[in-house]
Amino acid sequence: MDGTNIRFGSAQAEVEGTDAVFVPGSLSVADETLFGPEIRRGSRTIFEQLREDMKVGGRPTLIVIHGFSNSFENAIERAATILTFYGLDANVFAFTWPSVGSNLPIPLPYRDYFHDRGTARASGMALARTMRILYDFIDGLPKDQFCRQPLHLIAHSMGVFALRHGLQALLEIPVGEAREFASAIDEPPAGGRRTFPALFTVPTEGPDPNRLRRTFEQIVLAAGDEDEDAFENPRELQYLPRLARRVTVYHTHRDWVLATLSEKTKFNGPRLGVDGPENMAPISDKITAVDVSDGFDPNDDSQSHQYYRLFGAVRDDIVAVLRGERQDTISNRDTAGPGRYRLVKAAAAQRVRSRAASRRKP
């Protein structure tokens, strides 16, 4: 409604190849009652289900933030196809922000794009609230209940823009506010009146990087509809590396959606998902840029914007990142400068593998 409201639940999609269909009637919104004698929080229900599966099943959780022009059903379908296409034994948690979800082959460039850019910006507060509620849940667990499994994050296209605003909201929400919120619900004052701190309103305090905490093992930004110099700007993504062990940026100059629709027709300027970070020297060495231009045939994706969920070469690279392989040892890459790599062409990939196999022989 205004960027602060969020509900938790589950849904299902049937996947076949790189396509999926939302299962009608599968949406289950976790019961939530914030007033009355019995307080129930949907977030705690869902987080507990994830924690139990991560602990007993030994499975990580992949958080997915969708991009421009995706309905709620589309977002669930995309998240399901990523999990299946990547071949990961993991949970998937989809943060679905209110996108238009156009039924046209190409979204209307003005109405749809500007609508989604506005709702992605407003959804930053909901994303920050989700993370603060997660922190409160984790901090309240006994140590023997920790699952000791990683959280990974993949943000695509305008989802990177939403992530930026979530990061900025986290910088402004005072530390411990989610705990105050939980306490205010569970333990009302003696007079019986429950109060709610500023978690429901736009924060007014100045940004403070010390409010951030490492949450993710790996953050993957694919085709990011964000400024090329975002990692140099404290009001954009400069502090994002504090949330993760590593951040990997995937980009290609072939991306029509970013290079034409966003950069030129919307006057947004050079995009992160086209050429990667503008300058690697001044930004965190946790950040790696990977040019995927040669990792697929553009004839197989005329917009060259969905490569992260369609093409095996890109998928294999992302899976290697999620598995924690060192950036300089991932196969089918060439070095393109400090902190930069590019995928080798499919014809050359076999030669790279052959050379690597030869080096491994005693």
Side-chain angles (χ1 to χ4, degrees):
M1 295 169 60
D2 60 5
T4 64
N5 296 279
I6 186 165
R7 294 297 299 273
F8 295 79
S10 62
Q12 296 178 2
E14 294 181 349
V15 182
E16 184 173 348
T18 58
D19 295 321
V21 177
F22 186 88
V23 176
S26 68
L27 175 63
S28 175
V29 179
D31 190 24
E32 184 164 280
T33 304
L34 300 183
F35 303 94
E38 295 185 9
I39 301 299
R40 291 185 296 273
R41 280 173 282 165
S43 60
R44 184 168 293 278
T45 300
I46 297 300
F47 288 154
E48 177 57 31
Q49 290 174 358
L50 286 172
R51 186 205 64 79
E52 181 68 18
D53 185 90
M54 294 172 75
K55 182 176 176 63
V56 176
R59 307 198 311 160
T61 290
L62 179 66
I63 293 90
V64 180
I65 307 178
H66 66 83
F68 165 52
S69 190
N70 282 263
S71 67
F72 174 80
E73 289 81 2
N74 292 154
I76 299 299
E77 292 166 352
R78 293 281 174 89
T81 58
I82 291 173
L83 192 65
T84 303
F85 184 54
Y86 286 19
L88 297 176
D89 184 19
N91 299 286
V92 61
F93 181 99
F95 179 85
T96 59
W97 53 274
S99 171
V100 165
S102 173
N103 292 322
L104 300 176
I106 298 178
L108 296 175
Y110 291 96
R111 187 193 68 184
D112 292 358
Y113 185 88
F114 282 117
H115 170 278
D116 279 13
R117 191 168 172 86
T119 55
R121 180 187 298 109
S123 296
M125 178 55 69
L127 180 57
R129 286 190 60 217
T130 300
M131 293 178 67
R132 285 297 190 195
I133 294 169
L134 173 64
Y135 298 156
D136 182 64
F137 174 78
I138 293 173
D139 292 344
L141 290 173
K143 289 186 177 180
D144 63 351
Q145 294 299 308
F146 288 177
C147 66
R148 305 192 185 282
Q149 295 295 323
L151 298 174
H152 303 301
L153 171 66
I154 294 181
H156 175 243
S157 190
M158 201 175 285
V160 179
F161 186 67
L163 177 61
R164 181 237 281 201
H165 289 280
L167 173 68
Q168 293 301 319
L170 279 174
L171 288 167
E172 296 183 357
I173 296 177
V175 173
E177 192 162 24
R179 182 172 295 280
E180 293 172 16
F181 169 64
S183 178
I185 292 178
D186 296 337
E187 301 170 9
R193 181 180 178 183
R194 292 181 172 86
T195 59
F196 300 89
L199 195 62
F200 285 97
T201 60
V202 176
T204 57
E205 295 193 16
D208 181 359
N210 292 318
R211 291 175 179 148
L212 303 178
R213 61 191 269 184
R214 181 176 291 177
T215 308
F216 307 105
E217 184 71 13
Q218 304 289 337
I219 291 179
V220 171
L221 308 181
D225 190 2
E226 184 53 273
D227 296 334
E228 191 177 65
D229 61 352
F231 287 109
E232 301 175 52
N233 190 335
R235 298 301 301 173
E236 295 185 5
L237 294 177
Q238 181 176 354
Y239 297 116
L240 182 67
R242 293 197 177 198
L243 294 180
R245 188 172 300 278
R246 294 213 55 89
V247 178
T248 306
V249 178
Y250 289 87
H251 62 93
T252 172
H253 65 275
R254 303 181 191 276
D255 195 318
W256 177 87
V257 172
L258 298 181
T260 302
L261 181 61
S262 179
E263 178 177 334
K264 292 184 172 61
T265 68
K266 302 299 171 292
F267 308 104
N268 285 331
R271 312 316 289 153
L272 181 67
V274 174
D275 292 314
E278 182 178 35
N279 188 352
M280 299 297 291
I283 65 178
S284 171
D285 60 6
K286 289 184 178 181
I287 301 168
T288 301
V290 182
D291 185 346
V292 301
S293 300
D294 293 333
F296 60 93
D297 186 342
N299 293 322
D300 294 331
D301 179 14
S302 60
Q303 297 181 10
S304 297
H305 189 62
Q306 300 289 338
Y307 50 79
Y308 78 110
R309 64 180 188 86
L310 295 178
F311 300 109
V314 181
R315 171 203 60 199
D316 293 347
D317 199 277
I318 295 176
V319 169
V321 168
L322 296 180
R323 287 175 176 165
E325 293 186 30
R326 280 177 37 183
Q327 297 279 4
D328 60 348
T329 63
I330 296 176
S331 63
N332 296 345
R333 285 183 178 182
D334 283 336
T335 302
R340 295 183 186 272
Y341 299 89
R342 59 174 171 264
L343 296 189
V344 299
K345 291 184 178 181
Q350 184 59 45
R351 293 197 296 272
V352 171
R353 286 193 291 269
S354 297
R355 289 199 301 270
S358 298
R359 288 195 297 269
R360 287 194 295 268
K361 290 181 179 179

